[in-house]
Amino acid sequence: RQPAPSRGRRGLVVLKNLRREIPSGILGVLLFFLIILPIIFIVIAAFSTAVPRPGNAEVGSFTWANFGILGTPEGIQSIINSLIIGAGAGVLSLLIGALLAFIAARTDAPWKRFIYITGIAPMFLPALVGALAWSILASPTAGHLNLFLEAIGIGGTLNIYSYGGIIFVLGLYYAPYAFMLTYSSFSMMNADLEEAASVHGASLGRLFRTVTLPLSVPALAGAAILCFTLAMENFPVNAILGNPAGIETLPTYIYRLMAGDARPNAAAGIAIA
């Protein structure tokens, strides 16, 4: 039988365990106040007739009416717009990011370091700034690119205030996320599989379809889902480029309900739907 630890030794053990648990406890408290608590208030507002805010003594009653706004013509159109823009931006960002990642990781192209920097460069510029810049460059009335095209006699009008313009800007600025996810997958692939397929006579196209692409499908799928989600929830680009064209997405619709129509409960219903 082992002797019982002394009081001093027990105190050291408790102190050591306390030091180990304190960081986790602090992170748990921060997680609750910064993430969980706001979500709780949004959920309460979505199912209530009153808004839970400091100084508001009214509790409100339970209701499903806040979700009915999704069935209105404006709600349905905002959902459709968000799906179109999210899908388009997700595909475009995946094409740009995955292509640059493949060139940088799986080919012997020159300037591979420059290609890598190009793949992640848009991440260092906020999408808000990018949307403002493209609104100056490709505005249909006084955009610099349109003025340049008219000056050289090409004609044509670029309109950044459109579905295509929004998808283009979001695709550019979310391509780095696809690049980073797919670059790791491409760079960690076992080159022996491609060499074996090449030795057995597989062409470059067949090698890509049967070896490279199947190995990268998980990374490509994850990148597509991430870019689609980010484009769906983006507010500044949709607000700057969509509002002049009357294209309202779910984030801008929520903002209008909060700021203009003063319907925070309906906005909360859309947010958690």
Short mmCIF file of all heavy atoms in Angstrom, two decimals, residues 4 34 38 43 60 64-65 78 86-88 96 98 103 138 155-156 165 227 241 256 259 270:
data_model
loop_
_atom_site.label_atom_id
_atom_site.label_comp_id
_atom_site.label_asym_id
_atom_site.label_seq_id
_atom_site.Cartn_x
_atom_site.Cartn_y
_atom_site.Cartn_z
N ALA A 4 -0.25 7.84 1.58
CA ALA A 4 -1.07 8.94 1.07
C ALA A 4 -0.21 10.17 0.85
O ALA A 4 0.72 10.44 1.62
CB ALA A 4 -2.18 9.25 2.06
N LEU A 34 -19.34 35.50 -26.76
CA LEU A 34 -19.12 36.05 -28.09
C LEU A 34 -19.91 35.34 -29.18
O LEU A 34 -20.22 35.94 -30.22
CB LEU A 34 -17.63 36.00 -28.43
CG LEU A 34 -16.70 36.85 -27.56
CD1 LEU A 34 -15.26 36.68 -27.99
CD2 LEU A 34 -17.10 38.32 -27.61
N PRO A 38 -25.14 35.52 -28.39
CA PRO A 38 -25.85 36.22 -29.47
C PRO A 38 -26.77 35.30 -30.26
O PRO A 38 -27.86 35.72 -30.68
CB PRO A 38 -24.69 36.74 -30.35
CG PRO A 38 -23.53 36.86 -29.42
CD PRO A 38 -23.68 35.73 -28.46
N VAL A 43 -32.31 33.45 -31.76
CA VAL A 43 -33.32 32.39 -31.76
C VAL A 43 -34.56 32.84 -31.00
O VAL A 43 -35.70 32.61 -31.44
CB VAL A 43 -32.73 31.10 -31.17
CG1 VAL A 43 -33.82 30.04 -30.99
CG2 VAL A 43 -31.63 30.55 -32.05
N GLY A 60 -42.87 39.05 -24.65
CA GLY A 60 -43.47 38.64 -25.91
C GLY A 60 -44.03 37.24 -25.83
O GLY A 60 -43.86 36.52 -24.85
N TRP A 64 -44.95 31.68 -34.85
CA TRP A 64 -44.27 31.21 -36.06
C TRP A 64 -44.36 32.24 -37.18
O TRP A 64 -43.84 32.01 -38.27
CB TRP A 64 -44.90 29.91 -36.56
CG TRP A 64 -44.69 28.72 -35.66
CD1 TRP A 64 -45.53 28.24 -34.72
CD2 TRP A 64 -43.53 27.87 -35.64
NE1 TRP A 64 -44.99 27.13 -34.10
CE2 TRP A 64 -43.76 26.88 -34.64
CE3 TRP A 64 -42.34 27.84 -36.35
CZ2 TRP A 64 -42.84 25.89 -34.36
CZ3 TRP A 64 -41.41 26.84 -36.06
CH2 TRP A 64 -41.66 25.89 -35.08
N ALA A 65 -45.01 33.34 -36.90
CA ALA A 65 -45.30 34.31 -37.97
C ALA A 65 -44.04 34.94 -38.54
O ALA A 65 -44.05 35.40 -39.70
CB ALA A 65 -46.23 35.40 -37.43
N SER A 78 -35.18 37.00 -52.84
CA SER A 78 -33.87 37.13 -52.18
C SER A 78 -33.20 35.77 -52.03
O SER A 78 -31.98 35.65 -52.16
CB SER A 78 -34.04 37.81 -50.82
OG SER A 78 -34.80 37.01 -49.94
N GLY A 86 -24.42 32.70 -54.95
CA GLY A 86 -23.57 31.77 -54.21
C GLY A 86 -23.03 30.66 -55.09
O GLY A 86 -21.84 30.33 -55.02
N ALA A 87 -23.89 30.08 -55.92
CA ALA A 87 -23.44 29.00 -56.80
C ALA A 87 -22.46 29.51 -57.85
O ALA A 87 -21.42 28.88 -58.10
CB ALA A 87 -24.65 28.35 -57.48
N GLY A 88 -22.77 30.65 -58.45
CA GLY A 88 -21.87 31.19 -59.46
C GLY A 88 -20.51 31.57 -58.89
O GLY A 88 -19.46 31.24 -59.47
N ILE A 96 -10.80 29.26 -60.39
CA ILE A 96 -9.60 30.09 -60.31
C ILE A 96 -8.62 29.52 -59.29
O ILE A 96 -7.43 29.33 -59.58
CB ILE A 96 -9.97 31.54 -59.95
CG1 ILE A 96 -10.83 32.16 -61.05
CG2 ILE A 96 -8.70 32.38 -59.74
CD1 ILE A 96 -11.36 33.54 -60.70
N ALA A 98 -8.46 26.49 -57.76
CA ALA A 98 -7.96 25.14 -58.01
C ALA A 98 -6.99 25.12 -59.18
O ALA A 98 -6.00 24.37 -59.17
CB ALA A 98 -9.13 24.19 -58.26
N ILE A 103 -1.40 24.38 -60.88
CA ILE A 103 -0.19 24.84 -61.57
C ILE A 103 0.97 24.98 -60.60
O ILE A 103 2.11 24.60 -60.90
CB ILE A 103 -0.47 26.18 -62.29
CG1 ILE A 103 -1.51 25.98 -63.40
CG2 ILE A 103 0.81 26.77 -62.85
CD1 ILE A 103 -1.96 27.27 -64.05
N ALA A 138 -15.84 49.54 -63.49
CA ALA A 138 -16.79 48.96 -64.44
C ALA A 138 -18.20 49.48 -64.27
O ALA A 138 -19.16 48.78 -64.58
CB ALA A 138 -16.77 47.44 -64.34
N GLY A 155 -16.00 49.88 -78.06
CA GLY A 155 -17.41 49.97 -77.69
C GLY A 155 -17.77 48.90 -76.67
O GLY A 155 -16.92 48.25 -76.07
N GLY A 156 -19.06 48.70 -76.48
CA GLY A 156 -19.49 47.74 -75.46
C GLY A 156 -19.53 48.39 -74.09
O GLY A 156 -18.81 49.36 -73.82
N GLY A 165 -21.53 40.71 -62.51
CA GLY A 165 -20.54 41.52 -61.81
C GLY A 165 -20.35 41.09 -60.37
O GLY A 165 -19.22 41.00 -59.87
N CYS A 227 -16.68 28.16 -50.31
CA CYS A 227 -16.84 29.36 -51.13
C CYS A 227 -18.31 29.68 -51.36
O CYS A 227 -18.71 30.85 -51.37
CB CYS A 227 -16.11 29.19 -52.46
SG CYS A 227 -14.31 29.08 -52.29
N LEU A 241 -22.81 46.40 -54.96
CA LEU A 241 -23.02 46.11 -56.37
C LEU A 241 -24.44 45.66 -56.68
O LEU A 241 -24.88 45.76 -57.83
CB LEU A 241 -22.03 45.03 -56.84
CG LEU A 241 -20.55 45.34 -56.65
CD1 LEU A 241 -19.69 44.22 -57.19
CD2 LEU A 241 -20.17 46.67 -57.29
N ARG A 256 -32.15 45.40 -44.60
CA ARG A 256 -33.27 46.32 -44.86
C ARG A 256 -34.38 46.13 -43.83
O ARG A 256 -35.00 47.11 -43.38
CB ARG A 256 -33.83 46.09 -46.26
CG ARG A 256 -34.99 47.00 -46.61
CD ARG A 256 -35.21 47.06 -48.09
NE ARG A 256 -35.70 45.80 -48.63
CZ ARG A 256 -36.99 45.44 -48.65
NH1 ARG A 256 -37.91 46.23 -48.12
NH2 ARG A 256 -37.35 44.30 -49.18
N ALA A 259 -32.87 47.86 -40.59
CA ALA A 259 -32.62 49.30 -40.61
C ALA A 259 -33.78 50.11 -41.16
O ALA A 259 -34.13 51.16 -40.61
CB ALA A 259 -31.35 49.59 -41.44
N ILE A 270 -35.38 35.05 -40.68
CA ILE A 270 -34.61 34.73 -41.89
C ILE A 270 -33.22 34.25 -41.52
O ILE A 270 -32.67 33.33 -42.14
CB ILE A 270 -34.53 35.96 -42.80
CG1 ILE A 270 -35.93 36.36 -43.28
CG2 ILE A 270 -33.62 35.71 -43.97
CD1 ILE A 270 -35.94 37.61 -44.12
#
